[in-house]
Amino acid sequence: MTEAHQIPQDTADDRLIVALDVPDALAGLKLAEEIGEAVSFYKIGLGMLTGGGMALANELKQEHGKRIFLDMKLFDIGQTVENAVKGISQYDLDFLTVHGDPHVVRAAKQGAAGKDLKILAVTILTSLERADLDDGLILPGDVPEIVVERAARAFDAGADGIICSPNEAAAIRALPNAAGRLIVTPGVRPAGAESDDQKRIATPASAVAAGADHVVVGRPIWRAEDPRAAARAVVAELRSPQAARPNR
C-alpha cells in the first residue's frame, strides 16, 4: 500500500461501533483487517458465539488494540447472570449487554465489580414495534414511553448505559438519572441505506445529535463494496455540523 493510500491513525472515531454480524471469526477478522485503522470499536454478537466470537473478541482487543462491545443480551436468574458476567469480565472487554430488567442489571453489575466492563441495558429491540410487543404480552402503551421507563429503571439498578433506538435517545438523555451514563443506538442507517429488519432507525448524525454516545452500524458497512470507505463516510458524518448536540 502506498503512502498516499494509507489511512491516518486519527481517522477512527470511537463513536462508531461496527457490528461484525458475519458468519464466523475468520470472516470477522478478515473484515476488520480490511477496514484497518478506519474503525477502532467493534461489536460481536450472539450470532457469532459458536463461530469463534470470544476468540475474535480477544484477538481484536489484545493484538489489534480495538475496543470490543460484546452483545450477548443476557437474561436469566440473578446468580446465573452474575456468574456469566464474572467470567466474561476476565477478557478485559469494554461493553456487555444484558436485558434491562432491574434484577438482571443488578446481578450483571455485581459480576463486573472491580472491572472496567460497562454494563449496557437493552430496552426494546430496534427490530420490534407495538404489534410485536402485543404478541409478547408486553405492557400496553407507546413504544417510546416503554423504552424510556425501562431505561430509567435500568439506570436506577446501576446500568452504565442503555441500548435504545435513535428515536428514543433524546428522551432518555433528558432523564435526571442519565447524567454520566452511556446511550448506544443500533438501528442506525446512513441516508439511502436499506432498513433491513430494523423498524426504528435514524442516520448517524441525527442519532448523535439526539444524545447518543455511540452508534452501531453493521450491514451498511460490511455489505458495502468498499467497507473501509463506508466506515470513513460514517465517521465523516459523525464529525459534521449536523451531528452536533443542541444546547450542549
Side-chain angles (χ1 to χ4, degrees):
M1 182 181 292
T2 64
E3 184 176 350
H5 290 88
Q6 290 178 349
I7 298 175
Q9 293 292 314
D10 62 351
T11 297
D13 189 317
D14 267 6
R15 290 177 295 176
L16 170 61
I17 302 175
V18 172
L20 292 177
D21 296 329
V22 291
D24 53 44
L26 290 178
L29 183 59
K30 180 181 178 182
L31 177 61
E33 289 175 342
E34 183 178 354
I35 293 173
E37 294 300 320
V39 169
S40 56
F41 212 151
Y42 285 101
K43 180 177 85 73
I44 295 174
L46 190 60
M48 201 195 284
L49 187 61
T50 59
M54 289 303 298
L56 176 61
N58 193 55
E59 181 169 352
L60 289 176
K61 178 75 175 184
Q62 302 302 329
E63 299 183 25
H64 297 266
K66 306 298 184 181
R67 299 183 70 192
I68 299 297
F69 168 13
L70 195 63
D71 187 19
M72 294 290 106
K73 300 183 180 72
L74 298 179
F75 181 88
D76 212 310
I77 64 171
Q79 190 61 59
T80 299
V81 170
E82 180 180 339
N83 292 342
V85 174
K86 189 173 296 183
I88 290 170
S89 67
Q90 305 307 308
Y91 286 87
D92 191 31
L93 305 180
D94 298 276
F95 294 172
L96 172 68
T97 52
V98 303
H99 277 271
D101 303 63
H103 83 276
V104 176
V105 174
R106 286 191 291 267
K109 285 295 294 179
Q110 186 63 35
K115 302 292 184 179
D116 292 330
L117 180 66
K118 301 295 186 186
I119 300 300
L120 306 182
V122 175
T123 50
I124 300 294
L125 299 177
T126 53
S127 61
L128 303 181
E129 54 190 12
R130 184 62 252 180
D132 301 302
L133 302 188
D134 291 339
D135 286 343
L137 300 178
I138 303 300
L139 181 74
D142 292 336
V143 172
E145 294 175 358
I146 297 174
V147 168
V148 173
E149 180 62 28
R150 280 180 62 81
R153 295 187 185 197
F155 284 148
D156 286 343
D160 298 298
I162 289 295
I163 304 291
C164 67
S165 90
N167 298 348
E168 294 95 37
I172 292 174
R173 180 56 66 200
L175 289 170
N177 54 358
R181 312 294 182 96
L182 296 167
I183 296 177
V184 180
T185 56
V188 171
R189 293 289 187 273
E194 295 290 334
S195 60
D196 298 302
D197 56 359
Q198 301 293 340
K199 297 176 181 176
R200 303 183 345 264
I201 63 175
T203 64
S206 60
V208 170
D213 297 287
H214 301 273
V215 299
V216 180
V217 183
R219 283 164 286 196
I221 289 177
W222 60 256
R223 285 198 312 206
E225 184 175 343
D226 186 342
R228 181 183 301 188
R232 294 182 72 179
V234 174
V235 168
E237 182 176 336
L238 292 175
R239 294 174 176 170
S240 71
Q242 290 72 31
R245 291 185 195 169
N247 304 320
R248 185 176 182 182

